[in-house]
Amino acid sequence: MKILVTFSRIFVAALFLFSGFIKLNDPLGFSYKLQEYFGEGVLNLEFLIPFALLISVFLVIFEIILGVTLLLGYLSKFTVWSLLLMILFFTFLTFYSAYFNKVTDCGCFGDALPLTPWESFTKDLILLVFILILFFGRKYITPLQPVTAHKWIVFASFTACLGFAYYVLMHLPALDFRAYKEGTNIQAGMEIPEGAPEAVFEYLWKFNVNGEEKIITTGGDYPKVEGDFIEVETKTVEEGYEPPIHDFSIEKGGEDYTAKFLEKENVIIIVAYNISKSETEGFHAIKEITDKAKSQGYEVIGLTASMPEDIAKKQEQFGLGFDFYTTDETALKTIIRSNPGVMKLKKGTIIEKLHWNDAGELDL
């Protein structure tokens, strides 16, 4: 039993430390995932959405601290109880998400290791088994020596986590695992390779035949049946290939400008997924750097999902000398963890990405 507890202790601690660090590297991204869980139709806890970032930072730091205390054997009773309650909650959450197909990725390992809902639930079940071993065998969790140093190690870990979280929020994630990382060519990321598997769908056609409802299943063709059509339901039987970048476009007034801007030599893009939620101080820095970029011959545009009236107010307020185009909000949140943020493109390749705090460092 002691060997099993020791193995479980190392395994669970390593997983919590890894998972916690990945999310701490991008707490804003994890907060977006929490907003999905809090939203209507999932947990219906909309009142928590404004606090998603605060909850995100607390959860990931707590996750890391539990990994540290488990390794040290510090406060073992508190640690195993916390681990058990946490994994029970997340096992329920991932099962609920998977069974009802509510959230397509739990965000357990951020963008570094995306998991499907059922993979997330399976991972939590396995983790639950190891945590139950720790819970019932907690008398075998012996503290590492020297015990007197434990509280200082925990304090140092907590302080380091807070400092790292502050740094990535004031700048950008130290490690970028997303499809829009620097060096990525957006056109290449949107391409579908020849011979890539295509999605397979099943169509359930409902008809009224002689007063009775009848469902006919086909692969897409309209069924030959005598009766009145009621409705059709589509189910995905097999997922097809989805390119890493699949929701990026640049539009305005019903026209698509994506190819135009991705073919240009030097483009500076200001990303503000929601202008009304953008940090006001950020646009002072944006105004200065975009004016400088334009004077040096750069094409400057903005990307947002906001309404035209909100865009006009912001342009007038700060005297912004560039036009905004429309892009999907989720895509913009994925591109850069800053609102507003700065991105430099060269023929569709991402050369540089900067938080508005670092806008002055843009290489022109």
Side-chain angles (χ1 to χ4, degrees):
M1 182 66 177
K2 186 176 181 180
I3 295 174
L4 188 57
V5 169
T6 301
F7 175 80
S8 301
R9 175 180 176 180
I10 295 171
F11 176 79
V12 172
L15 196 62
F16 266 64
L17 288 171
F18 174 73
S19 173
F21 173 76
I22 290 297
K23 292 195 288 288
L24 189 63
N25 173 67
D26 185 13
L28 197 56
F30 185 48
S31 74
Y32 295 153
K33 189 58 59 178
L34 290 179
Q35 288 175 26
E36 286 187 54
Y37 280 116
F38 296 152
E40 185 180 356
V42 185
L43 296 179
N44 295 310
L45 299 173
E46 291 95 334
F47 68 94
L48 289 177
I49 290 177
F51 309 102
L53 181 57
L54 185 65
I55 296 171
S56 164
V57 173
F58 170 78
L59 282 177
V60 294
I61 291 180
F62 188 55
E63 188 174 355
I64 291 174
I65 296 303
L66 285 179
V68 172
T69 56
L70 182 59
L71 277 181
L72 293 174
Y74 181 63
L75 299 176
S76 58
K77 186 176 180 180
F78 169 80
T79 299
V80 294
W81 268 106
S82 298
L83 289 170
L84 183 61
L85 292 174
M86 182 178 280
I87 196 60
L88 285 174
F89 172 73
F90 281 107
T91 301
F92 159 75
L93 192 61
T94 52
F95 171 76
Y96 176 83
S97 177
Y99 187 79
F100 293 101
N101 196 29
K102 294 293 185 180
V103 180
T104 56
D105 175 20
C106 71
C108 307
F109 300 109
D111 293 290
L113 186 60
L115 298 177
T116 65
W118 285 114
E119 287 173 344
S120 300
F121 174 63
T122 303
K123 180 265 298 177
D124 284 342
L125 276 182
I126 295 171
L127 200 51
L128 175 61
V129 171
F130 283 106
I131 290 175
L132 284 173
I133 292 171
L134 292 172
F135 183 80
F136 291 109
R138 56 185 178 273
K139 66 179 180 180
Y140 296 107
I141 303 177
T142 54
L144 299 180
Q145 299 298 327
V147 176
T148 53
H150 287 186
K151 61 182 179 181
W152 298 110
I153 294 173
V154 172
F155 177 74
S157 301
F158 176 74
T159 305
C161 287
L162 275 181
F164 186 64
Y166 179 79
Y167 174 82
V168 296
L169 287 172
M170 292 298 102
H171 302 279
L172 289 178
L175 302 172
D176 193 348
F177 298 104
R178 286 159 288 151
Y180 297 90
K181 58 181 175 290
E182 290 182 1
T184 297
N185 183 275
I186 296 177
Q187 297 103 314
M190 293 192 290
E191 292 175 357
I192 298 178
E194 187 177 345
E198 297 182 1
V200 178
F201 299 101
E202 188 176 74
Y203 296 82
L204 286 74
W205 306 84
K206 186 182 291 185
F207 287 86
N208 184 326
V209 181
N210 298 325
E212 293 184 6
E213 286 189 359
K214 185 176 181 181
I215 295 177
I216 299 174
T217 303
T218 73
D221 296 332
Y222 190 87
K224 295 179 180 179
V225 59
E226 293 183 3
D228 297 324
F229 171 75
I230 300 175
E231 63 179 3
V232 61
E233 180 183 348
T234 306
K235 289 185 177 180
T236 303
V237 178
E238 189 177 321
E239 297 286 350
Y241 174 83
E242 186 175 70
I245 299 176
H246 54 270
D247 52 3
F248 181 83
S249 65
I250 301 174
E251 299 177 356
K252 188 174 185 178
E255 291 188 46
D256 192 330
Y257 293 87
T258 310
K260 173 186 174 181
F261 287 113
L262 292 185
E263 290 169 1
K264 286 186 175 289
E265 186 72 23
N266 291 302
V267 182
I268 302 298
I269 296 179
I270 305 304
V271 178
Y273 76 87
N274 187 320
I275 281 184
S276 62
K277 294 181 180 179
S278 296
E279 297 179 67
T280 302
E281 187 181 349
F283 273 103
H284 289 294
I286 294 301
K287 164 66 175 172
E288 183 178 345
I289 195 63
T290 52
D291 285 349
K292 182 178 178 182
K294 289 186 70 176
S295 70
Q296 294 184 212
Y298 282 82
E299 178 102 32
V300 179
I301 63 170
L303 297 183
T304 185
S306 297
M307 300 299 290
E309 52 268 29
D310 294 328
I311 296 171
K313 286 180 183 177
K314 194 66 69 174
Q315 286 177 317
E316 183 180 354
Q317 181 182 357
F318 293 96
L320 302 177
F322 57 89
D323 292 330
F324 276 89
Y325 294 77
T326 302
T327 301
D328 178 73
E329 182 172 322
T330 301
L332 294 177
K333 286 180 175 180
T334 307
I335 289 170
I336 193 165
R337 303 301 199 205
S338 177
N339 188 28
V342 185
M343 181 168 67
K344 177 181 173 183
L345 293 184
K346 186 178 182 69
K347 291 189 174 181
T349 297
I350 301 172
I351 304 299
E352 198 172 1
K353 293 199 303 183
L354 294 168
H355 191 282
W356 64 261
N357 274 322
D358 304 313
E361 299 177 13
L362 182 64
D363 183 10
L364 296 175

